[in-house]
Amino acid sequence: MSTDPAPLPDETQLRTALETLGVQVPQQLAAADDPDPKMLTVALAALAHRHLHQWLHALIRGNQDDEAPGAFIDRLAAVRPQGWPLPEDHTARALDELSWTIDRLSVLLLDEGGGAAPYTASDESPPVEAHASAALAAAEIAQELIRLRAQPTFYGAPDQGLSLVSARCVELNVAMDAVAEHHRVRPAT
């Protein structure tokens, strides 16, 4: 998957989307003498963006002027056709997805799974489930590495962040050893 910025819509695509949505282009934009093409595209995109937010708000409130929600959503789809996807911040998206995963794995760690491999995380702690703990450590390692890639000084000095990743790697190795031993003792049937 490429992380290159996606191409933005051109003036024709924006005018088509606005027309499909039933939005009138203001006379100032329609009649401008020799407008800067880039500024015209930005103005048309801003117009579509403003109307999109108004319509989404109306949809959330259930106030679509007697238009069926399905037809209303179909019209809104014209604002973002497949031909011109919006550029994404892949770092932020990955961190969001990982935070959801980490939350779910934290809850899974508290569940008592049948057939799970328990291990003691430290001398003072009660036994924890090795499978979920390994998955949680792996997700946290990925999260920390993405943070360090995007902002090396997120934790202060870069070596502080690397120390945190290293500690998570130790947790992952201990949990994986417990999982491996568990599966050696209890082979799958």
Side-chain angles (χ1 to χ4, degrees):
M1 175 183 264
S2 172
T3 58
D4 294 338
L8 294 177
D10 60 23
E11 179 186 348
T12 305
Q13 291 171 315
L14 284 166
R15 285 186 184 276
T16 302
L18 289 167
E19 183 180 317
T20 303
L21 292 169
V23 176
Q24 295 291 323
V25 177
Q27 286 293 72
Q28 295 87 340
L29 287 176
D33 292 333
D34 195 27
D36 176 7
K38 188 172 186 176
M39 287 306 295
L40 180 60
T41 301
V42 168
L44 291 171
L47 182 65
H49 184 73
R50 184 182 74 184
H51 282 280
L52 174 65
H53 277 282
Q54 289 172 343
W55 287 319
L56 286 174
H57 182 67
L59 181 64
I60 290 166
R61 290 179 48 221
N63 180 16
Q64 302 91 246
D65 298 326
D66 297 327
E67 185 174 4
F72 187 71
I73 290 169
D74 287 344
R75 275 199 317 127
L76 289 181
V79 174
R80 191 171 182 259
Q82 293 290 61
W84 36 285
L86 299 176
E88 279 190 68
D89 180 347
H90 295 287
T91 299
R93 186 71 185 265
L95 289 172
D96 286 347
E97 295 292 336
L98 283 168
S99 69
W100 279 97
T101 303
I102 288 168
D103 288 347
R104 296 287 184 246
L105 289 171
S106 297
V107 172
L108 181 64
L109 187 61
L110 301 176
D111 291 347
E112 292 188 23
Y119 82 104
T120 304
S122 69
D123 293 338
E124 302 85 35
S125 65
V128 295
E129 200 264 292
H131 295 84
S133 183
L136 178 60
E140 288 175 336
I141 289 167
Q143 185 181 49
E144 302 310 334
L145 288 172
I146 290 169
R147 278 193 185 127
L148 288 172
R149 177 182 185 254
Q151 190 178 356
T153 58
F154 185 83
Y155 295 103
D159 56 336
Q160 288 176 315
L162 293 174
S163 295
L164 182 59
V165 171
S166 178
R168 296 280 188 264
C169 287
V170 169
E171 291 171 18
L172 176 59
N173 287 330
V174 170
M176 289 302 296
D177 287 343
V179 168
E181 182 60 28
H182 176 75
H183 286 283
R184 273 193 288 277
V185 172
R186 290 183 54 188
T189 56

